[in-house]
Amino acid sequence: MRVFFNAIIVQVVLSIYIYWWGWRALPDKKYIKIPYATVFIIELIIYFIGFFTSGSGLLPFDALHDLAWVGTTWMIFAIYMTVLLLIYDLVRYINYKWKFLSGTLDLKAKKNRLIYFCASLLLVIGVMVHGNYKFWNPVVTEMNLTVDKHSPNVKNLRIVVATDIHAGYLIDKDIISMYVDKIMAQKPDIILLVGDIIDYDAKSLYEQRMETEFFRLKAPYGVYASTGNHEYIDIGEKKDEKILWLSEKAGLTVLRDTTILIANSFYLVGREDDLAENRKSLPEIMQGVDKDLPVIVMNHEPHYLDQEVEAGADIALYGHTHNGQFFPNNVFMALNSKIYNAGIIPKDKKPKFMYELPYGYKKKGDTHIYVSSGLGLAGPQFRIGTISEIVVLNVSFK
């Protein structure tokens, strides 16, 4: 709850700053300023209604979906717009102190402020339109991998991986239907859903009968899932409500610190998320595994890749990071990765937001590692500087 209150405070503060900035830049005409003020008032009313009615059952699903979409979209708009306006104010302040700009450019002039405000508005809207397009058009990332182990009955395996689907109020049934269509279009031999399949609550899934879409996921060697941190978000539901929905309603085989031998040819390991109580170590989970056979591990959060490498995994699959989801988070994640890999920060002291591999493929020892940027996302439906992706691995065994 504290996170949501922090979000609403940020929303209000940013909205007030943008409103104040634009009010001073716009012409003093009622037919301009009244609609301008109305937009901000309506947006804040929508945000507060959505905030205080979410999960209360007072509004139908469609209304909650629309309120959540408006609120999260405005948040992204407010962040980008605020940054651009702050840049102008910072340059104006520096110029006031040191007079480094030409005297012909008056940053205090209303005309210049209006031009900059409108240009910023157009830029942010353009970036957001493109980001929304990328959200609605997931990329298929396909790779060919060779595992130097004997697999008695399966020589080639087409693995389709989706992480961070975040099914719920924002990623609704229509979007899930689109995801399922794209996953099935890849003609998978096996489907792996690596955590954060559900967004925040199970109620939205029941309301939409979301299980009918997950039932359409079919593959010769099965459809498997592992848990993510969102499956463990506590919003007052009964224990493991979201995980039970996945296994009992949606028909997925959820591997919770569990190993399964498939076709007597390869092992699939599903690790519990870091938030799970009594989470087992990987050596515990893999007791009794014949490591002469290929081993594939699903582990939602890519904090310690060495665990899978040292345990003898041939393929390790992760999600969670969203690759930052939108700029500049993706840049920060890439920089943090470089710092981490340079050995500047000891592994046992690294902060949780720092990853050895925040996104993409890496071969470490004999282990093929892939961290997906995710198919869905949490919150705003924009991929700015990142992609929504389905990962297809064409694996060849000996």
Side-chain angles (χ1 to χ4, degrees):
M1 184 60 69
R2 180 182 176 185
V3 172
F4 292 112
F5 274 113
N6 289 343
I8 203 167
I9 291 169
V10 170
Q11 181 94 329
V12 170
V13 170
L14 298 189
S15 294
I16 290 173
Y17 175 70
I18 298 166
Y19 172 80
W20 169 78
W21 215 101
W23 186 267
R24 293 193 304 152
L26 290 170
D28 293 322
K29 306 289 186 181
K30 287 185 178 180
Y31 65 84
I32 294 176
K33 287 199 167 179
I34 289 176
Y36 176 76
T38 302
V39 169
F40 283 83
I41 292 169
I42 291 174
E43 188 283 324
L44 286 174
I45 290 172
I46 289 173
Y47 194 84
F48 276 98
I49 291 173
F51 178 81
F52 288 109
T53 59
S54 178
S56 67
L58 296 175
L59 294 176
F61 168 80
D62 288 342
L64 285 173
H65 168 81
D66 293 343
L67 289 171
W69 190 90
V70 171
T72 55
T73 297
W74 184 269
M75 176 63 82
I76 291 296
F77 168 81
I79 290 171
Y80 281 124
M81 198 69 183
T82 297
V83 169
L84 291 176
L85 299 181
L86 280 173
I87 290 172
Y88 187 98
D89 284 343
L90 179 62
V91 171
R92 183 170 63 86
Y93 176 77
I94 294 172
N95 186 59
Y96 170 76
K97 288 289 187 181
W98 288 283
K99 303 290 189 297
F100 68 94
L101 291 176
S102 168
T104 58
L105 181 59
D106 184 4
L107 296 179
K108 292 183 179 180
K110 194 161 189 172
K111 180 181 178 181
N112 290 336
R113 292 177 66 87
L114 178 60
I115 292 171
Y116 186 85
F117 185 80
C118 292
S120 298
L121 187 64
L122 290 174
L123 176 61
V124 171
I125 291 173
V127 166
M128 290 179 67
V129 168
H130 180 66
N132 185 248
Y133 173 83
K134 290 177 72 176
F135 162 74
W136 280 99
N137 292 270
V139 171
V140 177
T141 302
E142 190 161 351
M143 297 187 65
N144 298 322
L145 305 179
T146 299
V147 173
D148 192 24
K149 284 187 180 179
H150 177 63
S151 174
N153 304 311
V154 181
K155 300 304 178 186
N156 297 288
L157 185 67
R158 187 169 172 86
I159 307 173
V160 175
V161 182
T163 77
D164 302 277
I165 292 173
H166 289 281
Y169 284 110
L170 279 168
I171 307 289
D172 62 12
K173 190 174 183 179
D174 290 339
I175 298 175
I176 295 298
S177 180
M178 180 262 286
Y179 288 167
V180 171
D181 287 344
K182 288 185 178 293
I183 289 171
M184 294 307 298
Q186 308 313 312
K187 303 186 184 313
D189 293 326
I190 188 171
I191 298 171
L192 306 181
L193 307 180
V194 189
D196 280 7
I197 303 159
I198 299 172
D199 198 18
Y200 284 101
D201 63 6
K203 184 174 183 288
S204 62
L205 310 177
Y206 286 107
E207 288 178 350
Q208 299 175 80
R209 296 196 62 234
M210 192 84 80
E211 69 274 4
T212 59
E213 294 302 327
F214 282 92
F215 283 152
R216 295 200 294 118
L217 292 172
K218 306 288 184 185
Y221 296 116
V223 183
Y224 299 90
S226 62
T227 59
N229 55 300
H230 274 248
E231 273 76 49
Y232 284 101
I233 289 177
D234 183 6
I235 57 169
E237 297 171 325
K238 70 179 183 181
K239 183 176 173 61
D240 292 346
E241 173 71 17
K242 291 183 276 291
I243 300 170
L244 292 172
W245 184 91
L246 290 170
S247 58
E248 296 177 2
K249 293 291 289 184
L252 303 178
T253 301
V254 183
L255 301 181
R256 306 179 66 183
D257 282 347
T258 304
T259 300
I260 185 171
L261 177 62
I262 299 175
N264 291 316
S265 297
F266 63 93
Y267 288 95
L268 178 63
V269 181
R271 300 195 67 181
E272 282 274 37
D273 185 73
D274 291 6
L275 293 181
E277 294 180 7
N278 304 314
R279 185 187 195 229
K280 296 179 182 177
S281 68
L282 194 51
E284 285 182 274
I285 302 168
M286 290 177 59
Q287 284 180 4
V289 166
D290 180 1
K291 293 184 182 178
D292 289 334
L293 295 177
V295 178
I296 302 168
V297 177
M298 298 185 292
N299 182 12
H300 180 65
E301 300 190 37
H303 290 298
Y304 302 103
L305 307 184
D306 285 340
Q307 292 181 359
E308 278 68 37
V309 174
E310 292 168 3
D314 298 290
I315 299 173
L317 303 170
Y318 310 85
H320 183 63
T321 69
H322 297 209
N323 192 24
Q325 194 158 310
F326 52 83
F327 176 86
N329 292 343
N330 56 325
V331 176
F332 293 148
M333 294 191 91
L335 290 173
N336 285 332
S337 175
K338 290 183 181 299
I339 293 170
Y340 177 84
N341 290 314
I344 297 172
I345 298 175
K347 291 183 180 180
D348 60 342
K349 291 194 170 42
K350 83 168 187 71
K352 290 205 76 173
F353 61 78
M354 185 173 281
Y355 301 94
E356 179 180 346
L357 181 68
Y359 166 65
Y361 171 81
K362 181 176 184 175
K363 181 79 178 289
K364 190 166 186 178
D366 294 324
T367 305
H368 297 282
I369 294 167
Y370 197 92
V371 179
S372 174
S373 64
L375 179 52
L377 36 71
Q381 295 181 346
F382 302 92
R383 283 286 188 171
I384 300 171
T386 66
I387 60 170
S388 292
E389 72 171 348
I390 294 169
V391 180
V392 178
L393 302 177
N394 299 307
V395 183
S396 298
F397 302 115
K398 281 178 62 177

